[in-house]
Amino acid sequence: MTVYEILRVLADGKFHSGEELGQALGVSRTAVWKHLQKLDDLGLEAESVKGRGYRIEGGVDLLDAEVIWKALPADIKPLLSVLDVFPDIGSTNHFLMSEKTGSGEVCLAERQSSGRGRRGRLWVSPFARNIYLSVSWSFNGGAQALEGLSLAIGVAVIKALEGLSVVGLSLKWPNDIYYHGVKLGGVLLEMSGDVSGDCRVVTGIGLNVNMPVIAAEAIDQGWVDIYAVAGRPIERNEIVVALLSKLLPLLAGYSDAGFNDYRQQWLSYDAFKGRSVRLLSADNVVRGVAAGVDESGALLLQTEQGLKSFSGGEVSLRAET
Ligand code: BTN
């Protein structure tokens, strides 16, 4: 028995006696009690009331592969080949990069101990509060056919959230999901294989849904979560269904469609358009006015030396203050 199994019973927020929990999980009441102590590590607390048992006040919004699968539209299901949900993992991107090889393989986790962000940063990934989702897809036609893919993913994430009435979102180049100048989520693409032939892309998406303030202390920039933007709670399973319903068709059709189909939409969500910015790389700073993106997804900056384009990589965009 794991603490996660107990949690699946207590997730409903109702009281369950030690005896009932022990019977449901085939262990003694003492074993139940010992496991309940481990909830602390997950940032959860079980209330214990004499004569009534244990409960987690307010319940826990757990991910459920079956619920997600059932809710996916019929035309999306054939695009999904594997749906794994882990209670705890290092990184969903790393799992797919090292364990899977094909298309339509999806990995979700309740918590990541080494969540990867862009530019080598750690992605803060507390238990059962946010979305940590990765999708693997194989392409042929090489890296060139994938130009702009990470930007298109950003558009798909916003469209998915708009479908749930989470509105007012924008994109910070290349693919940060923003809301009024603070970060709601990010996208990390990792590639393996032959850059000029058959390759595989793992798309990782991290979205703050109901971020605990204590965990957020480790975030080194302004942030917001979906509960705050929407002004209401939204179940994470529902968010995952909305995301997969946009992402899987995008990945399946990207070799044919390319960035052209997404560029205008990206521009309509551009958070920095017309603003004075700095583009930082390890050894350089370029100043200019943000002028959208070109057909390949490269950032356009109007600089003193004229219009310049900048492709992805280890760069960071900042507004001039
Ligand atoms: C960024 O820095 O903006 C990108 C963050 C990407 C985080 C997600 S969470 C799911 C997937 N697994 C990871 O380890 N990282 C990505």
Side-chain angles (χ1 to χ4, degrees), residues 91-94 112 114-118 123 131-134 176 183 185-188 204-206:
S91 149
T92 55
N93 262 31
H94 179 257
Q112 299 183 117
S114 325
R116 298 176 177 176
R118 281 185 68 230
W123 189 255
I131 301 240
Y132 321 117
L133 163 72
S134 298
D176 281 358
K183 189 158 169 172
V187 178
L188 179 69
I205 296 170

Side-chain angles (χ1 to χ4, degrees), residues 157-170 177 179 184 208 225-232 234 239 269:
V157 171
I158 291 198
K159 292 278 175 204
L161 295 174
E162 284 180 349
L164 299 171
S165 303
V166 180
V167 293
L169 305 178
S170 56
I177 316 297
Y179 179 76
L184 178 75
N208 302 331
D225 61 18
I226 288 180
Y227 279 24
V229 175
R232 67 184 174 102
I234 305 180
I239 299 171
Y269 291 122

Side-chain angles (χ1 to χ4, degrees), residues 66 98 105 123 174 228 267:
E66 207 179 311
S98 52
E105 291 147 340
W123 189 255
L267 293 172

Side-chain angles (χ1 to χ4, degrees), residues 128-142:
R129 292 299 196 105
N130 300 322
I131 301 240
Y132 321 117
L133 163 72
S134 298
V135 186
S136 167
W137 208 274
S138 296
F139 294 91
N140 37 45

